[in-house]
Amino acid sequence: MLSDFSVISHVAAALTFGMLAVLVVTRYTRRDIDRALFLAAIVTTLWSTALIVQSFWGFPSFFIRYLLELLRYSAWILLLFAMLRNSFRQGSLTGQLKKILGVSTVVLLVLLVGFGMLEYVFGLSILSGKTRLLGQIALSLLGLSLVEQIWRNSPGFGRSSMKYLCIGVATLFAFDFFMYADALLFGQVSDSFWNARGFVNALLVPLFAINVINTRKQPVDFQLSRSAVFHAGTLVFAGGYLLCLAVGGYYVRVLGGDWGDALQVLFFTISLAFLATLVLSRRIRAKLMVRISKNFFDYKYDYREEWLKMTRELANLSDDPPLPERVTRILAGLVESNSGAIWLKDDRGSFTLKASVNTPIGKYTDIESNSDLVRLFNHRDWIVNLQEYRADPVAYDLLEIPEAIANIPDAWLVIPLYLDNELYGIAMVGAPYAQVELNWENFDLVKVVARQTCNLLAQADAQHRLSRAMQFEAVSKASAFMIHDLKTVISQLSLLVKNAPKHRHNPAFIDDMIDTTDHAVRKMSNLVGHMRRPSPEDEGEQEPLDLTSLVVSLLEHYSLTPPRPRLEGKTPQAVVLADEEQLRSVLGHLIQNAKDATPPEGEITLSLKIARGNVVLFIHDSGCGMTEEFINCQLFKPFESTKGLTGMGIGAFQAREYVQKLGGSIDVTSEPGVGSCFSVRIPLAEAQTKPAPQSQVLTETMPVPPRKNAN
């Protein structure tokens, strides 16, 4: 009996699926897909075990095996629905199509199982053999349809996480479809298909195991060049592979003896599944493209294709995705990568993170203007290879990499972006998926593209600044009308004061005076509410100012109505250089914003801390909070207001601009539904007036930091 190929085939299926079930249940059962795969592995193990037992001892009966067959289909279709649910959750598959597929599958399974139970329990033979075969074929087609819908409607990045699972399940249903279609055509199940069926199921288990183990390892999308050579080579390879497959199948059938037909079916099925795996493998495609570039072309790049691709990317005038993100993708694609980040120079000379693509970003994202990396780029147009740097830091004169880049685990290349001969930005490219050997051609192309894209980034920034200046000009023009109204109010009040000595005892004059004053108060209140605008021409003089006393007076002023802010902790003596009125306006605006965002029963707390020559004021509220997107894109952007007509959207912008002029900064952390915390850092007066050490002055004036100890 052990010489029976069918028994050996199904023993292999039972053992492999049993091991798959053990692997899943001991390590991976968090997701619905993992639990559904475990159920499918258990049911398939029971199904193959029943066929083995039937071969040895003649039981279970046909109907038990038929019901196990349907149960096996149900388990695999349940797995597909778990995958389909994941696709539907991403919004890629319409609910109507999902409902049609689900109802059709459930109805077909219920009918087949119900008629089978009636025949087994009551002996009612309702379905004929051909009808059962049609039901099996229909289930196979539904399974293939579900796989097709899952694959076609999944995003490109999500396909990689289910690639092997889709290949395995599709092969399983496709094999059953051909087997039952052949049986319907010839009136019986072919021995070749039946004997090879267990081995086909068993050899698909590695695909399921690989998918389970690598389920949380996301692959990298590539921007592949020279597509014509690649696709032509793929077609030639596929044609040669199928030709060899046909020859091999012929000899397997001839030399296989009694097992020839079954071995031929097994050989064809596994070979086609292997071919599909090769075609869909991103790793193999990436390595093939690198090999094609090395061996079949004089240059590594098709410069015409690269230039046209970059032109198409940059010709898009929309802001979706933003221009810095598109520039990052272009630079990364030149070296077969799909991750990176870009920093651009801000008004203070530091470099601020503008975009990141498939890259984890740490807490500290700014690159200071006096860092070693910036000094190097100011003197040399070099591309820093961080892999070479980590292997031999001496080759880069012990260059100190900024924390914003050093904390990125897969950082690879650091590229300077120049506007004319001045450093305008810094780009970082992540490590590629396949090993890429860089030479002069790579670096030259990257430098040329970096300069071209830098010009566009600078042009976009200039356009943004011009637009902002035009908006401020519009505000100035609108203020002219407000000033006209203020002059009218002043004239009315001046007239009242002038006539008061003559008519102070006239009741009619008193009534008119009250009405006029009330009208003036209301008019000025409305104007003040709309006239929050920066006044750069009148910055005021900076004088020593006790920040602690100023904060205490602000608390008294804003404690008249709930929620009432309170001061926590110790109140250190903090003297800063600032204009009292402007600093009062800035801090008052932040406190008022906290009150506006916090319900009356909420809390607003202030605290002062001294650290490294700076005083930091923390304003924490338990209000509605803000999203990270709002903080990054709208909070400090002028003319972006969430208060409708009651605000012009320049208060937060004006506050940050003035604090930065004092040499400080404003940082914000917030979470929707929890609250917000504004951290206002201002240098202490003694720290600003204290002269810098002579060694520090010498260091800052040198273009490159000394590498040797002084004598």
Side-chain angles (χ1 to χ4, degrees):
M1 188 67 69
L2 290 176
S3 61
D4 189 348
F5 190 80
S6 175
V7 174
I8 300 174
S9 176
H10 289 95
V11 166
L15 292 176
T16 53
F17 276 97
M19 289 187 290
L20 177 63
V22 173
L23 172 67
V24 175
V25 76
T26 55
R27 298 181 61 184
Y28 307 94
T29 55
R30 296 181 180 178
R31 304 182 308 163
D32 293 339
I33 295 178
D34 298 329
R35 291 190 286 269
L37 180 60
F38 169 71
L39 177 62
I42 288 293
V43 173
T44 305
T45 303
L46 294 176
W47 164 79
S48 54
T49 303
L51 294 179
I52 297 170
V53 172
Q54 194 274 337
S55 299
F56 280 102
W57 294 287
F59 70 87
S61 63
F62 168 77
F63 292 105
I64 296 296
R65 286 183 278 118
Y66 176 67
L67 292 177
L68 283 174
E69 183 86 13
L70 295 178
L71 184 61
R72 170 176 168 270
Y73 273 105
S74 302
W76 287 109
I77 290 176
L78 181 63
L79 172 63
L80 293 179
F81 271 105
M83 299 167 63
L84 189 66
R85 179 185 178 187
N86 187 55
S87 299
F88 180 70
R89 187 178 297 153
Q90 297 176 1
S92 57
L93 190 62
T94 59
Q96 189 67 24
L97 180 58
K98 180 184 176 184
K99 185 181 298 184
I100 293 174
L101 290 173
V103 171
S104 302
T105 306
V106 171
V107 169
L108 182 58
L109 282 172
V110 169
L111 289 177
L112 292 176
V113 173
F115 290 140
M117 292 295 296
L118 289 176
E119 186 171 356
Y120 176 70
V121 177
F122 301 104
L124 300 176
S125 182
I126 301 175
L127 300 179
S128 63
K130 288 188 176 182
T131 307
R132 291 194 182 94
L133 288 176
L134 288 173
Q136 302 291 91
I137 292 173
L139 286 175
S140 301
L141 290 176
L142 280 173
L144 291 173
S145 299
L146 288 172
V147 173
E148 188 271 337
Q149 288 296 325
I150 293 170
W151 183 263
R152 183 164 60 86
N153 291 281
S154 297
F157 189 77
R159 289 179 180 178
S160 300
S161 62
M162 63 178 66
K163 173 177 59 181
Y164 298 107
L165 200 59
C166 287
I167 293 174
V169 177
T171 305
L172 186 148
F173 280 112
F175 182 90
D176 285 0
F177 169 76
F178 286 115
M179 184 184 71
Y180 286 120
D182 180 81
L184 183 64
L185 181 63
F186 295 102
Q188 62 178 4
V189 177
S190 171
D191 291 339
S192 302
F193 277 104
W194 185 261
N195 294 338
R197 193 183 188 195
F199 268 127
V200 170
N201 282 262
L203 293 176
L204 294 176
V205 169
L207 294 178
F208 301 137
I210 291 174
N211 186 88
V212 170
I213 294 173
N214 296 333
T215 185
R216 293 174 179 85
K217 295 180 180 179
Q218 302 296 339
V220 179
D221 290 333
F222 283 88
Q223 300 291 335
L224 301 176
S225 60
R226 304 185 180 184
S227 57
V229 176
F230 174 78
H231 291 299
T234 302
L235 290 177
V236 172
F237 171 78
Y241 183 88
L242 293 176
L243 183 61
C244 295
L245 180 62
V247 175
Y250 172 78
Y251 282 104
V252 166
R253 183 172 184 178
V254 171
L255 301 177
D258 295 336
W259 292 2
D261 292 337
L263 289 175
Q264 184 186 37
V265 173
L266 175 63
F267 179 78
F268 275 112
T269 303
I270 299 304
S271 300
L272 291 175
F274 178 72
L275 177 61
T277 304
L278 290 180
V279 171
L280 295 175
S281 173
R282 294 181 183 271
R283 184 185 297 272
I284 293 176
R285 290 210 304 264
K287 292 182 179 295
L288 181 60
M289 287 305 304
V290 173
R291 187 168 296 275
I292 288 174
S293 298
K294 287 181 178 180
N295 297 283
F296 294 95
F297 292 90
D298 295 333
Y299 296 100
K300 297 178 68 173
Y301 294 94
D302 185 345
Y303 289 99
R304 176 180 174 275
E305 182 66 23
E306 294 294 337
W307 192 258
L308 290 176
K309 183 170 63 175
M310 186 187 73
T311 303
R312 285 194 299 269
E313 288 287 340
L314 299 178
N316 183 11
L317 299 179
S318 66
D319 202 34
D320 186 23
L323 181 60
E325 181 178 336
R326 279 182 280 158
V327 170
T328 305
R329 292 184 182 275
I330 290 173
L331 293 174
L334 295 176
V335 288
E336 304 299 335
S337 176
N338 83 325
S339 61
I342 191 168
W343 291 261
L344 299 179
K345 183 183 289 187
D346 58 16
D347 296 334
R348 298 175 297 169
S350 301
F351 293 84
T352 305
L353 180 68
K354 293 297 182 181
S356 62
V357 178
N358 299 330
T359 299
I361 299 299
K363 181 178 180 181
Y364 303 100
T365 60
D366 288 353
I367 299 177
E368 298 295 334
S369 59
N370 59 352
S371 64
D372 285 358
L373 184 66
V374 174
R375 292 177 181 177
L376 173 66
F377 287 157
N378 282 331
H379 291 83
R380 295 181 180 179
D381 185 5
W382 276 10
I383 294 178
V384 178
N385 189 329
L386 294 180
Q387 293 180 352
E388 295 179 355
Y389 169 83
R390 297 185 186 103
D392 185 14
V394 179
Y396 288 89
D397 296 332
L398 299 177
L399 177 72
E400 182 179 356
I401 302 298
E403 187 177 1
I405 298 178
N407 289 339
I408 300 176
D410 63 339
W412 180 32
L413 300 179
V414 183
I415 305 167
L417 305 177
Y418 293 99
L419 185 63
D420 291 335
N421 294 321
E422 182 181 359
L423 183 65
Y424 183 78
I426 299 174
M428 186 280 300
V429 173
Y433 198 74
Q435 186 65 31
V436 177
E437 296 181 4
L438 301 179
N439 59 10
W440 61 270
E441 187 178 359
N442 299 100
F443 291 123
D444 285 350
L445 179 62
V446 169
K447 289 179 181 179
V448 170
V449 173
R451 284 188 175 270
Q452 292 293 329
T453 53
C454 183
N455 290 334
L456 290 175
L457 289 170
Q459 191 176 29
D461 184 60
Q463 182 68 26
H464 173 70
R465 293 173 182 270
L466 178 61
S467 176
R468 190 168 65 181
M470 293 176 64
Q471 289 174 321
F472 274 113
E473 183 180 359
V475 172
S476 299
K477 291 180 179 180
S479 301
F481 295 95
M482 298 180 185
I483 293 173
H484 178 269
D485 292 337
L486 285 176
K487 289 182 177 179
T488 303
V489 173
I490 292 173
S491 299
Q492 293 174 346
L493 296 179
S494 299
L495 186 61
L496 286 177
V497 173
K498 183 178 181 180
N499 294 327
K502 298 181 181 179
H503 306 285
R504 66 174 61 187
H505 300 295
N506 187 352
F509 175 78
I510 298 298
D511 293 338
D512 290 339
M513 183 180 65
I514 293 175
D515 293 338
T516 303
T517 305
D518 179 68
H519 176 267
V521 169
R522 286 188 284 107
K523 194 172 187 66
M524 287 189 294
S525 297
N526 292 333
L527 289 176
V528 169
H530 288 82
M531 286 184 62
R532 294 180 180 178
R533 61 181 180 88
S535 52
E537 68 277 2
D538 185 18
E539 297 178 359
E541 296 181 359
Q542 294 186 3
E543 299 176 350
L545 174 65
D546 187 354
L547 183 62
T548 304
S549 301
L550 178 61
V551 171
V552 172
S553 65
L554 287 172
L555 287 178
E556 295 176 356
H557 175 73
Y558 287 98
S559 297
L560 299 177
T561 59
R564 295 176 174 84
R566 55 187 176 87
L567 188 63
E568 286 188 341
K570 298 180 179 179
T571 55
Q573 187 73 18
V575 178
V576 299
L577 292 177
D579 178 71
E580 181 177 358
E581 292 301 323
Q582 291 199 35
L583 187 57
R584 178 185 295 273
S585 175
V586 166
L587 299 182
H589 173 79
L590 297 178
I591 297 174
Q592 184 62 48
N593 277 355
K595 289 175 65 68
D596 294 341
T598 307
E601 65 276 6
E603 293 183 357
I604 301 176
T605 59
L606 281 72
S607 60
L608 285 166
K609 303 292 182 183
I610 302 293
R612 297 183 179 180
N614 296 274
V615 57
V616 183
L617 172 63
F618 298 95
I619 304 175
H620 182 272
D621 66 78
S622 60
C624 57
M626 297 173 286
T627 63
E628 185 177 358
E629 179 181 1
F630 179 84
I631 294 175
N632 294 333
C633 301
Q634 299 185 31
L635 177 60
F636 295 111
K637 185 177 180 181
F639 310 106
E640 292 284 340
S641 176
T642 60
K643 301 179 182 180
L645 296 177
T646 62
M648 300 182 68
I650 58 177
F653 169 79
Q654 183 180 6
R656 187 184 66 171
E657 290 292 301
Y658 183 70
V659 172
Q660 287 183 352
K661 289 176 183 177
L662 298 179
S665 62
I666 297 180
D667 296 322
V668 185
T669 58
S670 183
E671 184 176 350
V674 177
S676 305
C677 181
F678 281 73
S679 305
V680 183
R681 180 184 63 85
I682 303 176
L684 293 171
E686 59 181 10
Q688 290 182 310
T689 57
K690 183 178 180 181
Q694 184 68 19
S695 60
Q696 180 179 356
V697 174
L698 291 175
T699 302
E700 291 180 351
T701 57
M702 295 181 65
V704 180
R707 299 300 181 187
K708 298 181 179 180
N709 296 328
N711 293 328

